[in-house]
Amino acid sequence: GGSPHREFVIALNLCPGRARVKAMSTGPSPARRPARSSGKRAGDRSAARQASLRVHNLTLVLRHILEATSPPSRADIATATGLTRATVSVLVDRLLRAELIRELEPLTPQRAGRPAIPLAPASGTIAAIGIEVNVDYLGVCALDLAGEQVSERMVTGDFRNSDPRLVLAGVAALAAEVVTDLQNDGIRVVGACVALPGLVDSRSGPLRHAPNLGWRDLDVGLMLREHAVFRGLPVRLRSEERRVG
């Protein structure tokens, strides 16, 4: 599989302080409205575009740092993304304050000028939970942005032709232990990804068929959210077989 913990972080609202942009209701044409109202709508649209662009650029920079084969500097990111160095510096500062990335030791400059500071994913600040339901074990682990495993639980058993509610209750109990570990270490949990030995028709939609488990047409995400540990937490599904749709 891939690195689902990174997908969740990319999807975070990286600009929590930005102004809300209200949806405009349909009504009279702009020509019939006072100039002030028309200007307000234009301002709202401009704010929306700026907020959207800011999130896009933050995502672009963060993704570049997460996926880089070696820690890039601000100048490297500017070159790779086409953003100005000033813009990259502002975005990097925001990502640093959000504890999504960290600065490494400065590199020794090969020529005159300030040394480049490499940037890397933050360790031990944010994590996502990976869950695997298999015929002979249940596993739950947590990975941080640097790809380091920060907690793990696993139990073995025979889950062929099993009761899904009992099995998912067991998964929830394991996940609760992992979340407790993370909370004790001051690590935020941003989501969970569940790997299932069957066919699912979307990331969050129902499990169509897991013949080895004896499960069919189950909304696994909804069933997990019945447990406190998953309430309010984004839950995605992954199939170990071909995904439908």
Side-chain angles (χ1 to χ4, degrees):
S3 298
H5 58 296
R6 295 186 173 182
E7 295 180 27
F8 286 111
V9 175
I10 291 293
L12 284 178
N13 175 7
L14 299 176
C15 299
R18 72 174 186 268
R20 291 183 176 273
V21 180
K22 296 181 180 179
M24 301 300 295
S25 60
T26 57
S29 64
R32 297 183 182 180
R33 289 183 176 270
R36 181 180 299 177
S37 176
S38 178
K40 183 177 185 299
R41 282 204 310 278
D44 284 347
R45 287 195 297 269
S46 176
R49 286 194 297 269
Q50 291 174 8
S52 178
L53 180 62
R54 187 162 56 246
V55 171
H56 170 79
N57 288 341
L58 279 165
T59 300
L60 184 65
V61 171
L62 177 58
R63 189 181 296 277
H64 185 79
I65 296 170
L66 294 178
E67 297 178 352
T69 55
S70 60
S73 67
R74 290 167 174 80
D76 293 332
I77 296 170
T79 300
T81 61
L83 299 172
T84 67
R85 292 197 181 192
T87 297
V88 169
S89 291
V90 170
L91 297 172
V92 165
D93 287 345
R94 186 182 292 270
L95 294 172
L96 287 167
R97 289 196 301 271
E99 298 185 320
L100 297 176
I101 62 173
R102 59 195 169 101
E103 293 182 325
L104 305 180
E105 290 297 319
L107 299 175
T108 302
Q110 297 180 349
R111 53 189 174 184
R114 297 168 61 182
I117 300 176
L119 302 165
S123 296
T125 59
I126 289 175
I129 299 172
I131 298 165
E132 187 171 1
V133 178
N134 220 312
V135 295
D136 51 5
Y137 68 89
L138 305 176
V140 178
C141 73
L143 298 178
D144 68 9
L145 278 171
E148 298 172 356
Q149 183 173 291
V150 289
S151 182
E152 181 184 28
R153 294 290 190 282
M154 187 176 72
V155 296
T156 58
D158 184 357
F159 302 106
R160 296 171 180 83
N161 300 312
S162 55
D163 182 332
R165 292 198 174 275
L166 291 178
V167 173
L168 295 178
V171 166
L174 295 177
E177 294 181 11
V178 167
V179 169
T180 297
D181 288 346
L182 300 179
Q183 290 174 340
N184 289 340
D185 291 334
I187 300 174
R188 290 175 285 163
V189 183
V190 296
C193 185
V194 186
L196 298 163
L199 297 175
V200 296
D201 64 4
S202 70
R203 288 185 179 182
S204 58
L207 168 73
R208 290 304 181 194
H209 190 207
N212 292 335
L213 297 176
W215 297 4
R216 183 184 290 275
D217 294 329
L218 297 173
D219 192 334
V220 174
L222 181 63
M223 295 170 71
L224 285 174
R225 281 188 285 272
E226 293 175 358
H227 300 274
V229 66
F230 292 109
R231 288 175 194 152
L233 196 66
V235 177
R236 294 182 178 178
L237 302 185
R238 287 289 186 270
S239 174
E240 295 180 359
E241 302 181 25
R242 181 176 58 86
R243 191 168 65 199
V244 179

